[in-house]
Amino acid sequence: MRNHRQSGTDRLQRDARIAGLRDFQTPSLEAVEQRRRQLWQRTATALALIAGVVVAFAIIPSDRLTGAGAGRLVFVIVAVGGGLFLWAFHKEAALERLTRSLTDERVLTAALTNRLHEVSLLLDAGKQMNAHLEMDELLDTICALGRDAAVGQRMRLGDGVAGYVAIRRDPVLIDGHADPDVFPGLVLREPYVESAMSVPLVHRAELQGVLNVNAPIGRSFTGYDLRALAVFAEQAALAIANARLYEAERAHVAALLDLRKRREVG
């Protein structure tokens, strides 16, 4: 990876030198575009000078030029013009390679920045969930946001999208109308949800539940969103498992205290 990155940097610097960016240090699309403008300004100026020479040659009386002198002059003009085009083409090719490389680098940097931001949000979400050991508080933190009717609702395994995911334990991305033949028992809602995600909450091979997320009107989820939700679901499943373990331990301690109290009274 390091060698590949170094070779990419060397290639950028080589193309920058070819294009005339002598002080090239940091990738910059702005510097490349500025150099491109300079290149074509200079090319246009040179072409204008050549055109001026051609015009001047055309108005010179033919009796003042010998055949050999005229031939040499034409050869010089053609050579200069051809050399100019080759020079400009060589520079433009290097600038084009620089533009593609720097554009790819900017896209990659933006993707990495978004990924780091996503990871940071997921870590914060995990901290928030793990801070709650009371099941009710934890569930309020995880789900039922924006749809109060979903609070306390239960579905049978196999019914609807959530039941489908619960049985197969695979994330599902829905874009458009869900097929009732694929999701038996599907309940249509108003307004109709055009895009949604559903992921299983699994911890140590035990199903803790299913997390559903509906997209707002005008937005569609992507596979990237589904992967991010799947990571969130892993943390949520762990938090739910911990909360259930906490409740079980608390109930066990309460039972022991009650038993001790009864023995003391008896």
Side-chain angles (χ1 to χ4, degrees):
M1 177 66 71
R2 184 176 181 179
N3 292 335
H4 178 72
R5 185 180 303 170
Q6 183 63 38
S7 64
T9 301
D10 293 341
R11 185 172 60 254
L12 282 175
Q13 293 177 346
R14 182 177 64 253
D15 288 338
R17 288 193 298 270
I18 294 174
L21 296 171
R22 302 296 181 184
D23 298 328
F24 181 86
Q25 296 294 335
T26 304
S28 170
L29 281 172
E30 291 74 15
V32 173
E33 290 304 316
Q34 182 179 1
R35 177 57 181 164
R36 179 175 277 116
R37 288 192 297 269
Q38 293 174 352
L39 170 65
W40 292 113
Q41 287 172 359
R42 293 176 182 178
T43 303
T45 301
L47 288 174
L49 291 174
I50 293 175
V53 172
V54 172
V55 172
F57 175 69
I59 64 177
I60 294 177
S62 58
D63 58 352
R64 295 187 180 181
L65 291 174
T66 64
R72 284 195 297 269
L73 185 56
V74 170
F75 175 78
V76 170
I77 293 174
V78 172
V80 171
L84 176 63
F85 276 111
L86 288 176
W87 174 82
F89 178 80
H90 185 55
K91 299 293 183 181
E92 177 59 30
L95 288 170
E96 181 63 27
R97 289 193 298 270
L98 273 174
T99 299
R100 289 197 300 268
S101 297
L102 295 177
T103 300
D104 292 343
E105 188 168 300
R106 282 197 174 185
V107 171
L108 178 60
T109 299
L112 289 175
T113 300
N114 291 336
R115 182 60 177 170
L116 288 174
H117 179 64
E118 175 190 302
V119 170
S120 177
L121 292 177
L122 289 172
L123 289 175
D124 290 340
K127 291 179 181 178
Q128 291 292 328
M129 288 186 291
N130 289 318
H132 298 284
L133 290 176
E134 298 287 343
M135 184 63 73
D136 292 339
E137 294 180 359
L138 175 60
L139 294 179
D140 288 340
T141 303
I142 296 175
C143 47
L145 178 63
R147 189 168 182 269
D148 295 337
V151 178
Q153 294 292 323
R154 292 181 177 272
M155 298 184 64
R156 293 184 303 174
L157 290 176
D159 281 357
V161 177
Y164 177 94
V165 171
I167 289 180
R168 288 163 179 78
R169 301 191 179 185
D170 290 326
V172 169
L173 173 64
I174 296 176
D175 188 13
H177 293 274
D179 188 352
D181 294 334
V182 178
F183 308 108
L186 182 67
V187 178
L188 298 180
R189 301 189 179 97
E190 293 293 339
Y192 188 80
V193 177
E194 292 290 342
S195 182
M197 299 182 293
S198 184
V199 295
L201 301 173
V202 180
H203 176 66
R204 294 183 178 178
E206 182 178 352
L207 182 69
Q208 307 291 332
V210 175
L211 179 61
N212 296 324
V213 178
N214 298 331
I217 297 176
R219 181 186 171 185
S220 295
F221 288 130
T222 65
Y224 182 83
D225 298 318
L226 185 64
R227 289 191 294 271
L229 184 63
V231 175
F232 175 83
E234 292 178 0
Q235 299 184 76
L238 174 60
I240 291 174
N242 290 337
R244 285 178 172 169
L245 179 60
Y246 171 76
E247 287 188 342
E249 291 295 331
R250 187 173 62 177
H252 180 64
V253 171
L256 290 177
L257 291 176
D258 183 64
L259 179 60
R260 179 180 177 181
K261 183 177 179 180
R262 290 182 180 180
R263 287 179 178 177
E264 290 176 351
V265 172

